[in-house]
Amino acid sequence: MRLITLDDFKDTLLKGKQRGWDFILSKFTFQNNARTKSAFNSSAVISANWWEIPYVKKRWNKMMTNDEHQNYKQYLMETVLKDHSNLKLLSLGSGTCSHELELAQYKQFEAITCVDLSEYRISQAEKKAAQNNLQNISFVCSNIDNFSFKEDHYDVVLFNASLHHFRHVDTLLSEKIVPCLTSSGLLVINEYVGPNRLQFPKAQIQKINKGIQLLPKKFRRRYKSSLYKNSFSGSGLLRMIIADPSECVDSSSIMPSINKHFKVIIEKPYGGNILMNALKDISHHFIDLDDEKTKALDAIFEFEDEYLKHNPSDFVFGVYRKPEH
């Protein structure tokens, strides 16, 4: 693992410009929960990450559902859960609950419970639910250790970009998630499942750097900066722990643990091995596309597809069933 990298200094400077120096100063505390909360409490709109790009979202949809216009939640409701009713769903680490609020609009759900430790995000979600008159969704601001799991109660447990923030994934799944699911209950994930603490192997870092060079220089100017992105060295372990002690803390255990405790119903890898880091801090260039930008993204998409032929995906959408006893 790399303790400190050149990108640690670059990214700290950029975060100060993008999110303000108060955000950087919030990291200087010995309380792990406080540092984790500060990573998610910000109300600032960040347009520097790959998940902001509509064309990338279409790629994900295609890889998850075979339809670039259908997201995984629509696919889930129109296939796996199509004929179900009175469903109870638990979402852990739900953030602003945008995915859960979308699911709450389906009549199949009797109750959706969202749990997150960020007061700000939970309050925002509560406002949106009230605005949309959604009566079947509730919100709990809590650490998972303090949350009371109901045994044999939930039909679906959802982790959307949150499971990689939990320690001891195998214990969480076996001792908390399996018991709280009904006999036919489902685990649904849309997750980063790559190396712990984003400690990518050297071969992957080399490919990411090649991917960056596929993009014209004018599209590599970093968000809210005059600097250009010419290379990627990865995140140092020290910065990862300081910035957010929960970030990818046990992510490499996710797939082995799920396969150990659940039966696969649907499993759709959708890459991210190259795109996530190549497009970080420069994604704002690709929010609105023209022919040149589309061509550039197509080139790096093709480059990642070739990489995925020989390497496991860093991101997976999956649906898994509780095993029968």
Side-chain angles (χ1 to χ4, degrees):
M1 289 190 174
R2 302 172 296 276
L3 187 61
I4 299 175
T5 71
L6 182 59
D7 277 358
D8 292 340
F9 297 100
K10 293 179 181 177
D11 288 354
T12 299
L13 176 63
L14 286 167
K15 281 292 186 294
K17 292 183 177 181
Q18 294 168 357
R19 302 184 70 169
W21 291 103
D22 287 344
F23 171 77
I24 300 298
L25 292 173
S26 72
K27 300 301 179 181
F28 291 92
T29 173
F30 291 106
Q31 297 181 357
N32 286 352
N33 272 353
R35 298 205 301 277
T36 297
K37 285 183 179 181
S38 75
F40 298 105
N41 275 347
S42 175
S43 60
V45 176
I46 305 300
S47 300
N49 292 300
W50 71 314
W51 59 76
E52 301 285 348
I53 303 174
Y55 199 46
V56 167
K57 292 180 181 179
K58 286 185 176 181
R59 170 180 167 83
W60 295 346
N61 289 345
K62 183 70 174 178
M63 298 177 80
M64 291 181 193
T65 74
N66 297 319
D67 182 349
E68 66 178 25
H69 301 295
Q70 183 183 55
N71 66 39
Y72 83 85
K73 290 148 290 183
Q74 295 166 331
Y75 177 76
L76 179 70
M77 300 310 300
E78 294 177 16
T79 55
V80 180
L81 299 178
K82 180 180 179 181
D83 298 320
H84 290 69
S85 60
N86 302 318
L87 294 171
K88 297 181 180 66
L89 181 147
L90 172 65
S91 176
L92 297 170
S94 52
T96 57
C97 309
S98 60
H99 304 279
E100 296 78 8
L101 289 165
E102 181 179 345
L103 289 170
Q105 298 178 52
Y106 287 90
K107 62 182 181 180
Q108 287 99 317
F109 287 106
E110 175 186 321
I112 293 177
T113 303
C114 301
V115 181
D116 197 89
L117 55 73
S118 169
E119 296 93 341
Y120 174 79
R121 291 194 167 196
I122 285 293
S123 66
Q124 292 298 105
E126 288 177 329
K127 291 177 183 177
K128 290 179 181 178
Q131 290 169 358
N132 290 283
N133 196 31
L134 295 173
Q135 304 296 321
N136 61 343
I137 186 168
S138 60
F139 308 92
V140 179
C141 186
S142 172
N143 186 300
I144 192 172
D145 294 328
N146 299 323
F147 180 71
S148 180
F149 288 85
K150 298 179 181 178
E151 190 170 345
D152 190 29
H153 183 75
Y154 299 101
D155 302 288
V156 182
V157 171
L158 171 66
F159 289 98
N160 187 94
S162 59
L163 185 54
H164 68 270
H165 284 281
F166 291 102
R167 296 179 182 275
H168 312 301
V169 167
D170 191 84
T171 301
L172 170 63
L173 293 178
S174 62
E175 297 185 4
K176 299 290 187 181
I177 305 308
V178 170
C180 84
L181 283 167
T182 60
S183 58
S184 59
L186 300 175
L187 170 68
V188 179
I189 68 164
N190 177 30
E191 277 295 335
Y192 169 80
V193 298
N196 291 355
R197 303 293 191 188
L198 304 181
Q199 297 300 294
F200 303 108
K202 290 182 179 179
Q204 184 173 350
I205 290 176
Q206 290 172 352
K207 291 293 186 181
I208 292 168
N209 279 301
K210 289 184 178 180
I212 291 170
Q213 295 305 316
L214 291 174
L215 303 172
K217 183 177 179 179
K218 62 183 176 180
F219 301 141
R220 287 191 271 122
R221 183 180 54 77
R222 295 177 184 260
Y223 182 61
K224 290 188 176 181
S225 170
S226 59
L227 301 175
Y228 286 83
K229 184 167 189 171
N230 298 313
S231 64
F232 171 78
S233 60
S235 299
L237 185 59
L238 183 61
R239 174 166 65 103
M240 291 294 299
I241 295 172
I242 291 175
D244 179 0
S246 75
E247 186 63 67
C248 307
V249 63
D250 195 24
S251 52
S252 63
S253 296
I254 291 175
M255 296 315 298
S257 297
I258 287 177
N259 290 325
K260 178 181 177 182
H261 298 293
F262 293 87
K263 177 183 177 182
V264 177
I265 304 300
I266 297 170
E267 194 167 84
K268 300 282 188 177
Y270 61 97
N273 303 53
I274 307 299
L275 298 180
M276 177 174 68
N277 292 300
L279 294 172
K280 181 183 177 183
D281 289 324
I282 61 173
S283 295
H284 59 291
H285 294 290
F286 301 101
I287 301 300
D288 298 311
L289 293 182
D290 56 25
D291 290 344
E292 186 179 11
K293 292 179 182 180
T294 301
K295 183 179 179 180
L297 286 180
D298 283 338
I300 199 169
F301 287 177
E302 184 177 346
F303 183 75
E304 180 174 89
D305 288 340
E306 188 62 31
Y307 180 86
L308 291 173
K309 290 179 181 179
H310 310 286
N311 297 276
S313 172
D314 280 347
F315 287 82
V316 171
F317 157 61
V319 181
Y320 307 88
R321 189 176 302 280
K322 180 177 177 177
E324 298 178 0
H325 294 290

